[in-house]
Amino acid sequence: MANSLDTILEGRRSQPHQLIEVLQDVQHDHGYLSREAIDTVSESLGVPVMEVYRVANFYTAFTLEPRGKHVITLCKGTACHVRGANPLIEQALGLLDVGEGETTENGLFTLETVNCIGTCALAPVVVLNGVYHPLMTPARLRALINRVRREEEEGTGHA
Ligand code: FES
């Protein structure tokens, strides 16, 4: 169960230096930084709303749109590209029926692409919910996505 904004802000009001930690907690508990959350954080910490947006936009860990329960990140940096990232991306887009950076209608998956996640020796790399899957192939990616779908249907899936 997500902590409410009140709970997250408890003991941190009027403490502008807590901004990043508070935003991290909101992102973690709510899945994204809503406009309402940003307004509340701004007012509670005494940080101008433009500064909150600046920080939220600067760090890639923060998102201003709701994300899916499961986040799939496909690397399309040079090493991954050379080793077959494009077919992986095409397959994931088709399987999930979304565009890059989008979330499936059922809210289950968000598909992101990045330009290098720092594990080029293991290219092509796919990250699912923070877990790295090296040397990915289209068959393994399909199996991975299907496994998550199956677990969700069976009620055993976790983010
Ligand atoms: S290019 Fe994909 S991990 Fe570096």
Side-chain angles (χ1 to χ4, degrees), residues 74-82 85 114-126 132:
L74 292 112
C75 179
K76 58 178 186 182
T78 304
C80 289
H81 175 76
V82 167
V114 293
N115 285 322
C116 182
I117 44 182
T119 55
C120 305
L122 302 173
V125 184
V126 171
Y132 284 59

Side-chain angles (χ1 to χ4, degrees), residues 7-157:
T7 305
I8 291 171
L9 288 163
E10 216 171 274
R12 295 158 137 178
R13 294 178 199 280
S14 304
Q15 297 183 46
H17 64 278
Q18 291 275 339
L19 176 61
I20 291 178
E21 285 85 354
V22 167
L23 292 181
Q24 284 173 331
D25 288 350
V26 176
Q27 176 75 46
H28 179 265
D29 288 4
H30 296 222
Y32 76 112
L33 308 176
S34 67
R35 179 190 271 184
E36 296 74 24
I38 286 182
D39 287 346
T40 303
V41 169
S42 163
E43 198 177 314
S44 300
L45 298 186
V47 177
V49 74
M50 288 310 293
E51 175 63 8
V52 181
Y53 273 108
R54 190 193 66 75
V55 170
N57 283 311
F58 182 79
Y59 294 101
T60 54
F62 299 132
T63 54
L64 302 176
E65 300 288 334
R67 295 170 104 198
K69 182 176 179 186
H70 303 279
V71 179
I72 300 178
T73 306
L74 292 112
C75 179
K76 58 178 186 182
T78 304
C80 289
H81 175 76
V82 167
R83 294 190 184 171
N86 276 354
L88 294 175
I89 294 169
E90 289 305 316
Q91 184 182 52
L93 294 173
L95 280 172
L96 300 177
D97 195 22
V98 290
E100 290 182 29
E102 291 181 358
T103 299
T104 55
E105 271 182 31
N106 62 5
L108 207 51
F109 292 99
T110 294
L111 180 65
E112 299 177 337
T113 57
V114 293
N115 285 322
C116 182
I117 44 182
T119 55
C120 305
L122 302 173
V125 184
V126 171
V127 182
L128 171 64
N129 299 329
V131 177
Y132 284 59
H133 295 269
L135 307 171
M136 185 53 75
T137 64
R140 286 182 53 221
L141 181 58
R142 182 184 302 112
L144 193 64
I145 291 172
N146 286 339
R147 189 196 77 206
V148 173
R149 283 178 166 156
R150 198 171 47 248
E151 287 173 353
E152 287 296 335
E153 280 169 18
E154 293 167 355
T156 57

